[in-house]
């Protein structure tokens, strides 16, 4: 799986961006997205092709779906085209985004939950699929590990966890962004318990390793589109 076409050029651009933004304060996650709601869908249109392909990687007969970090529900357009009668539970910590989602899909079977998906209970063997689009790259491996264990338990046998996310192209990128985030937190005295909007993606090897440790013995990364990498993990 090739995450980036020209890693050297990409890493040079990333290092320049980190230098240029070094003095810009970190923003708490909820405040960041609330402030940018009006332009959110337009900004995310850079992944239009990935959104369109999203449901292609879901198993047939998906009746119950849990969407983690659903935002305004851009990925659900693809989901409802393939599964028009699906029951979807969407979790997001930004209430204003959930309101936009409900407007878009007022005629669909969607339940919105405003909260922290690391803290909420998902239940056991409830969902045919759990999905997440461009949400998990903000969080630490420890947070993801616990979340993936909950996701595994929440899936029915044969269910799929479909993640489409920003994945680090190499170990250098993962380390560089993790260290930069830690330094900016320390400089601003921001505790680890506070979610901030700063990308800290893992490499594909590390991401799938966490999934396997959570119980997903079958994982695949079938495609990457404009930096959005699809990872499918099946519960046997």
């Amino acid at each position: 799986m090739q995450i980036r076409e020209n890693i050297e050029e990409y890493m040079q651009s990333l290092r320049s961006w980190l230098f240029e933004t070094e003095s810009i304060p970190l923003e708490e996650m909820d405040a960041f997205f609330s402030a940018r709601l009006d332009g959110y869908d337009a900004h995310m249109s850079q992944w239009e092709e990935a959104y369109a392909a999203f449901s292609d990687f879901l198993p047939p007969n998906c009746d119950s779906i849990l969407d983690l970090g659903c935002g305004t529900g851009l990925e659900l357009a693809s989901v409802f085209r393939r599964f028009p009668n699906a029951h979807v539970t969407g979790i997001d910590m930004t209430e204003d985004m959930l309101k936009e989602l409900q407007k878009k899909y007022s005629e669909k079977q969607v339940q919105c939950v405003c909260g922290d998906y690391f803290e909420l209970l998902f239940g056991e063997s409830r969902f045919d699929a759990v999905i997440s689009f461009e949400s998990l790259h903000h969080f630490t491996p420890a947070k993801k590990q616990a979340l993936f264990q909950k996701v595994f338990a929440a899936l029915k046998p044969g269910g799929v966890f479909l993640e489409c996310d920003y994945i680090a192209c190499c170990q250098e990128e993962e380390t560089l962004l993790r260290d930069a985030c830690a330094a900016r937190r320390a400089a601003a005295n921001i505790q680890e318990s506070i979610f901030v909007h700063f990308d800290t993606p893992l490499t594909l090897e590390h991401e799938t390793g966490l999934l396997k440790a959570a119980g997903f013995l079958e994982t695949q990364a079938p495609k990457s589109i404009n930096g959005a990498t699809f990872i499918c993990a099946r519960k046997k």
Side-chain angles (χ1 to χ4, degrees):
M1 165 63 68
Q2 185 175 2
I3 305 296
R4 301 283 181 182
E5 291 185 1
N6 190 328
I7 292 178
E8 184 177 351
E9 180 180 334
Y10 172 76
M11 289 303 300
Q12 183 177 350
S13 174
L14 180 61
R15 285 189 289 268
S16 296
W17 177 83
L18 286 171
F19 177 76
E20 292 166 2
T21 62
E22 189 174 10
S23 62
I24 298 177
L26 294 174
E27 294 180 65
E28 290 192 32
M29 194 79 73
D30 184 24
F32 178 91
F33 285 110
S34 291
R36 292 160 179 81
L37 180 61
D38 289 344
Y40 177 79
D41 284 12
H43 170 72
M44 297 299 283
S45 66
Q46 62 185 298
W47 290 294
E48 182 177 1
E49 185 181 350
Y51 279 120
F54 191 75
S55 67
D56 295 345
F57 301 101
L58 291 173
N61 304 317
C62 270
D63 294 323
S64 55
I65 298 172
L66 174 63
D67 190 348
L68 304 178
C70 57
T72 63
L74 291 168
E75 64 280 359
L76 294 182
S78 172
V79 171
F80 283 127
R81 276 197 300 271
R82 188 173 172 202
F83 308 107
N85 299 316
H87 298 253
V88 175
T89 301
I91 300 176
D92 201 280
M93 63 175 60
T94 305
E95 186 174 1
D96 289 338
M97 288 201 161
L98 292 175
K99 290 178 180 178
E100 289 298 313
L101 186 154
Q102 288 175 316
K103 289 179 186 177
K104 288 180 184 178
Y105 304 108
S106 60
E107 298 181 359
K108 296 297 184 181
Q109 300 180 88
V110 178
Q111 177 187 5
C112 291
V113 180
C114 187
D116 175 359
Y117 51 59
F118 292 108
E119 298 296 332
L120 292 170
L121 299 177
F122 302 159
E124 295 191 9
S125 300
R126 290 184 56 198
F127 300 100
D128 297 308
V130 178
I131 63 176
S132 183
F133 193 105
E134 293 289 347
S135 178
L136 296 173
H137 59 273
H138 300 109
F139 306 111
T140 65
K143 281 282 191 183
K144 288 184 179 182
Q145 182 69 85
L147 179 67
F148 291 162
Q149 290 170 348
K150 288 201 304 179
V151 168
F152 184 84
L155 284 168
K156 299 175 184 177
V160 165
F161 174 48
L162 174 59
E163 176 185 0
C164 185
D165 217 325
Y166 172 16
I167 297 295
C169 65
C170 56
Q171 184 58 51
E172 181 185 1
E173 181 180 13
E174 178 182 318
T175 302
L176 183 66
L177 287 170
R178 180 189 63 216
D179 291 349
C181 185
R184 296 183 189 197
R185 278 185 179 274
N189 195 28
I190 300 174
Q191 298 179 357
E192 284 293 332
S193 59
I194 297 175
F195 294 143
V196 296
H197 185 270
F198 191 91
D199 297 342
T200 54
L202 303 182
T203 63
L204 184 59
E205 179 183 4
H206 288 165
E207 192 81 2
T208 56
L210 293 176
L211 288 165
K212 290 175 182 177
F216 291 100
L217 301 182
E218 183 182 330
T219 62
Q220 296 179 334
K223 199 168 189 178
S224 186
I225 302 175
N226 192 25
T229 300
F230 290 86
I231 301 175
C232 304
R234 184 178 299 276
K235 179 178 180 178
K236 292 187 176 180

